Amino acid sequence: MKRSLKLSLPGEGRVSRKPAALYAGPIKVEPCRFMAAAKAKTKTARTRKTSKLKRTRGRLAPGATARGLDAAQVAIPMDSAEIADVVALVRSAGGATIGAYRDPLGGRPLVLASLPLSAVQPTPFQRDLSPTHAKRLALKIDEAAVFLDPLIVVRGEDGRLWTPNGRHRLAAGKVLGLKQITALISPDETLAYRILALNTEKAHNLRDRSLEVIRMARSLAKRHGTSKEAQYSAEFESAELVTLGVVYEKSSRFAGGAYSSFLKKVDRFSERTLAASLREREGYASRLLQIDAQAKKIIDTLQKRGFKSPYLRSYVVARINPVRFHKSKKGDTKPPMPLAQALTRMAAAAKNFKVESVSSKDLAWVAVGAGAQE
């Protein structure tokens, strides 16, 4: 008598009865209703979560409270005493005032005016002009047949009109041969030193930012030599930019990106006066250039040994970085060691670097890290 085979697996499903002697293929299990329902429920929940993310992604939450001035508080009469000096300055420069208002956020007075192109100069500490960018900008403005963005202008320390963030628009205006250019003039001279963070006309690279910061620092040191460097943390953005600025002044082709991470961890604003701090940073910059010279020798030796990776410099600098494994705790702003001590250790590590210990596998990991950051 032939027996029937019945396979029953808890929670897995069931199989049809079939004579054992006639069964030749694999057992086919029918999914149970419980598992199908569970999968459908999971899929529905995942879909709802994804839909919710799509709805919320890209949206900005409005401020909890309304800020700034009301419409009636914004307008300023042209004969107002608070803008009298600016109006007189515009007229003496050969320009014409168009209107005046208070900034809706901070309430500072601003004057919209038309100024002769020759009356406006870029701030002396601003980044270097890119002729290519200025010509391209002039071409696009000419194609649009309208000059939409007014220059931000302040009164410079020498009594002239300075633009802290319109150098390329100013140059484009000269390329186009403009007689007049529109400007938004602020009586607040210190705005010239706070404009770096707002400059979006042409993205700053590390070299541009560092050079602009050191030029601001030197200008402020002449005007307020007894002020502490730490007082200008908002203007300078980050302490390492001051040090890198000094380095770039000495060597414009310095590979600052390789050392930026190291400096971020150990460089801090000083409580010393600006003049004294700048003298100290001159020493730091010289030591950093000496370290980089030693790093170049190591790179040359590695290249002669057959290593051709574009990440050689990043690898070498990472190997001699004395704080590469340090991870700051949340809210901790104290450096793992003073900058002077870190430079001493870095110089020693560069001097004692063993090229024999470098492997292709090490460089591969550096490349992976660089790709992740990009």
Side-chain angles (χ1 to χ4, degrees):
M1 181 177 180
K2 296 181 180 179
R3 295 182 179 179
S4 297
L5 175 65
K6 181 179 181 182
L7 179 62
S8 179
L9 301 175
E12 291 290 331
R14 65 180 185 277
V15 296
S16 301
R17 293 182 179 180
K18 186 177 290 188
L22 300 177
Y23 192 84
I27 300 175
K28 295 182 179 180
V29 181
E30 299 176 2
C32 69
R33 294 179 181 178
F34 174 78
M35 286 188 67
K39 287 182 179 179
K41 187 176 180 180
T42 303
K43 185 176 181 180
T44 303
R46 190 185 300 115
T47 303
R48 287 176 180 173
K49 187 177 180 180
T50 304
S51 300
K52 187 177 180 180
L53 285 173
K54 287 182 178 179
R55 288 196 300 270
T56 58
R57 187 175 296 159
R59 294 188 178 184
L60 296 175
T65 57
R67 300 172 58 192
L69 307 181
D70 295 326
Q73 299 172 298
V74 172
I76 300 179
M78 292 305 301
D79 58 353
S80 173
E82 62 183 319
I83 59 169
D85 290 344
V86 176
V87 172
L89 184 62
V90 170
R91 290 174 180 169
S92 65
T97 54
I98 300 171
Y101 66 97
R102 294 183 184 87
D103 166 53
L105 178 62
R108 298 174 184 271
L110 296 168
V111 174
L112 183 63
S114 176
L115 293 169
L117 208 66
S118 58
V120 184
Q121 302 294 329
T123 52
F125 43 80
Q126 199 169 157
R127 62 181 169 177
D128 297 331
L129 177 73
S130 168
T132 302
H133 176 67
K135 290 176 183 177
R136 188 185 302 117
L137 184 60
L139 177 63
K140 296 303 179 183
I141 292 172
D142 201 21
E143 288 176 357
V146 59
F147 201 113
L148 288 174
D149 298 324
L151 305 183
I152 305 299
V153 172
V154 299
R155 177 165 39 194
E157 59 190 47
D158 55 1
R160 294 185 299 174
L161 293 166
W162 281 358
T163 176
N165 81 329
R167 183 165 202 163
H168 288 89
R169 276 173 290 161
L170 185 65
K174 292 180 180 179
V175 171
L176 293 169
L178 292 182
K179 297 178 181 178
Q180 296 272 319
I181 196 165
T182 51
L184 201 56
I185 308 173
S186 171
D188 183 9
E189 297 178 18
T190 63
L191 185 63
Y193 297 92
R194 302 198 306 273
I195 206 72
L196 179 63
L198 300 177
N199 195 325
T200 57
E201 178 183 301
K202 176 176 177 285
H204 284 64
N205 56 33
L206 183 61
R207 179 180 176 277
D208 286 340
R209 291 167 63 205
S210 301
L211 284 172
E212 189 161 342
V213 165
I214 190 58
R215 289 166 185 170
M216 281 196 292
R218 295 199 189 285
S219 177
L220 287 167
K222 291 179 181 178
R223 301 180 66 184
H224 310 288
T226 58
S227 299
K228 294 180 179 180
E229 184 187 70
Q231 292 178 226
Y232 299 99
S233 58
E235 288 82 353
F236 299 158
E237 282 194 14
S238 189
E240 77 274 3
L241 293 179
V242 190
T243 301
L244 284 172
V246 181
V247 178
Y248 279 119
E249 285 181 329
K250 297 175 180 290
S251 176
S252 62
R253 297 179 65 85
F254 179 73
Y259 296 89
S260 179
S261 176
F262 157 69
L263 289 173
K264 280 182 182 294
K265 290 185 177 182
V266 294
D267 204 348
R268 297 293 184 272
F269 287 114
S270 172
E271 290 298 327
R272 304 177 68 182
T273 63
L274 262 175
S277 178
L278 286 175
R279 287 194 297 270
E280 187 176 47
R281 290 186 185 278
E282 289 280 351
Y284 294 154
S286 296
R287 295 176 65 184
L288 201 55
L289 284 170
Q290 291 172 3
I291 292 170
D292 189 55
Q294 185 63 36
K296 288 178 182 177
K297 292 180 181 179
I298 297 171
I299 293 169
D300 289 341
T301 303
L302 289 172
Q303 288 176 336
K304 290 176 182 177
R305 295 171 69 93
F307 293 98
K308 303 296 182 182
S309 171
Y311 303 104
L312 270 178
R313 183 184 295 276
S314 298
Y315 171 74
V316 171
V317 174
R319 279 279 301 268
I320 64 177
N321 181 356
V323 292
R324 65 185 182 278
F325 298 122
H326 175 79
K327 291 185 178 180
S328 299
K329 296 180 180 178
K330 188 176 181 180
D332 184 14
T333 58
K334 186 177 180 181
M337 66 179 70
L339 177 55
Q341 181 183 351
L343 288 171
T344 299
R345 293 192 180 186
M346 198 174 202
K351 185 178 180 180
N352 299 321
F353 193 96
K354 304 296 183 184
V355 293
E356 298 82 6
S357 64
V358 180
S359 67
S360 299
K361 185 178 179 180
D362 295 334
L363 291 173
W365 279 112
V366 174
V368 170
Q373 289 178 356
E374 293 172 0

